[in-house]
Amino acid sequence: MAKTGRTFFVADLHLTDERPVATGRFFRFLIEDAQGADALYILGDLFETWVGDDHDEQVAHDTARQIKALVDSGTPVYFMHGNRDFMLAGRYATLSGMTLLCDPTKIDLYGESTLLMHGDTLCTDDSAYQRFRNKIRRPWVLAWLRRLPLSLRHRMARQARAGSESAKAEKPAAIMDVNSHEVVRVLQAQQVSRLIHGHTHRPAQHQHVIDGRPCERWVVPDWYARCGYVVCDSAGCALNVEDL
Ligand code: MN
């Protein structure tokens, strides 16, 4: 397939058997938009929950097949973990043809050094979440979780979701956005002038000036009531958001 010279970034699709409209829209995006692209980057929270690579929702099987078809047509697909699907591992990556990325990952995007993140680590005001994240993402904890029975992992995921929903309801909205000092710190430390991330469900293009240098931060939309992506080519990036 002829290349279109474009690269797509999506995140926070939160796919689940309970929201078939979003799943259908994502599969259409894979065929109508991403087909022929130079690459597709999925920046975390592709799935609403992921209890391990034996995750048994129908959407897991269907999504692997659809992504594999895109990869086989010549468009590489990269996946970075989100806070919902951090248990996704090598078995599912192989099945779907996705390449796993670390968070953060720096790429050369048409000559522009660009940093990719899920975005949760930028929300440093939410210290309770950051403490939880540090604990649960330790390799030995992940290895221990993976050995638990599937039904128990499903139950734990349901409890974790309920807990985070009630905690979210009590947190001021500002706490759940990125911390602007942390954004500047990361852009400086990584020596990049462009950052693309998701997680906050606040799609936007932000401009920052750091050490006299113009920098841009692109926030990828979620796929709840809306859907969309950030798309980049050699001329720059654009944000596309539409109703689901
Ligand atoms: Mn997230």
Side-chain angles (χ1 to χ4, degrees):
M1 176 136 192
K3 290 281 183 186
T4 55
R6 298 192 295 174
T7 296
F8 286 89
F9 300 86
V10 294
D12 306 299
L13 296 105
H14 295 272
L15 301 183
T16 156
D17 285 351
E18 287 157 37
R19 294 194 315 116
V21 174
T23 306
R25 186 67 190 78
F26 178 56
F27 292 172
R28 215 172 84 210
F29 160 80
L30 291 177
I31 293 164
E32 291 179 4
D33 301 287
Q35 184 110 218
D38 289 335
L40 167 64
Y41 289 85
I42 301 169
L43 301 179
D45 290 354
L46 171 60
F47 296 104
E48 178 77 356
T49 54
W50 193 261
V51 298
D53 284 0
D54 51 354
H55 194 89
D56 49 4
E57 277 188 283
Q58 186 59 40
V59 71
H61 305 288
D62 296 345
T63 302
R65 207 168 37 246
Q66 296 288 332
I67 291 177
K68 186 71 165 59
L70 178 63
V71 172
D72 288 344
S73 77
T75 296
V77 177
Y78 300 93
F79 174 83
M80 181 180 282
H81 290 123
N83 51 299
R84 303 293 195 113
D85 50 16
F86 61 86
M87 293 275 284
L88 197 150
R91 196 169 110 200
Y92 191 75
T94 303
L95 190 69
S96 56
M98 299 193 293
T99 304
L100 295 178
L101 296 179
C102 295
D103 183 358
T105 285
K106 200 170 14 173
I107 61 166
D108 180 315
L109 190 58
Y110 306 105
E112 183 86 41
S113 194
T114 301
L115 191 69
L116 309 178
M117 304 176 84
H118 175 57
D120 55 334
T121 56
L122 296 169
C123 302
T124 52
D125 293 333
D126 191 349
S127 48
Y129 169 71
Q130 297 300 336
R131 276 197 303 277
F132 167 77
R133 186 186 191 280
N134 286 338
K135 269 186 221 151
I136 198 105
R137 304 289 279 270
R138 288 179 190 150
W140 70 264
V141 176
L142 294 175
W144 172 76
L145 284 170
R146 285 197 182 97
R147 280 199 298 270
L148 298 174
L150 181 63
S151 59
L152 179 57
R153 281 178 278 132
H154 270 302
R155 202 160 69 220
M156 290 167 79
R158 271 196 302 275
Q159 280 166 357
R161 265 178 73 187
S164 101
E165 288 308 314
S166 65
K168 256 196 273 183
E170 286 164 18
K171 286 174 192 170
I175 281 188
M176 295 192 299
D177 199 358
V178 298
N179 175 293
S180 53
H181 300 289
E182 181 62 10
V183 169
V184 171
R185 191 195 67 75
V186 167
L187 286 166
Q188 276 173 329
Q190 298 281 341
Q191 302 268 302
V192 291
S193 52
R194 188 195 278 143
L195 166 62
I196 304 175
H197 70 82
H199 181 67
T200 61
H201 300 198
R202 295 169 197 222
Q205 178 196 1
H206 298 276
Q207 303 284 352
H208 302 264
V209 178
I210 298 168
D211 304 329
R213 218 160 31 91
C215 296
E216 53 189 47
R217 176 169 67 91
W218 295 87
V219 187
V220 179
D222 55 283
W223 288 51
Y224 278 119
R226 61 191 161 213
C227 63
Y229 50 80
V230 167
V231 60
C232 305
D233 61 20
S234 54
C237 298
L239 173 64
N240 185 295
V241 184
E242 53 192 84
D243 291 338
L244 193 62

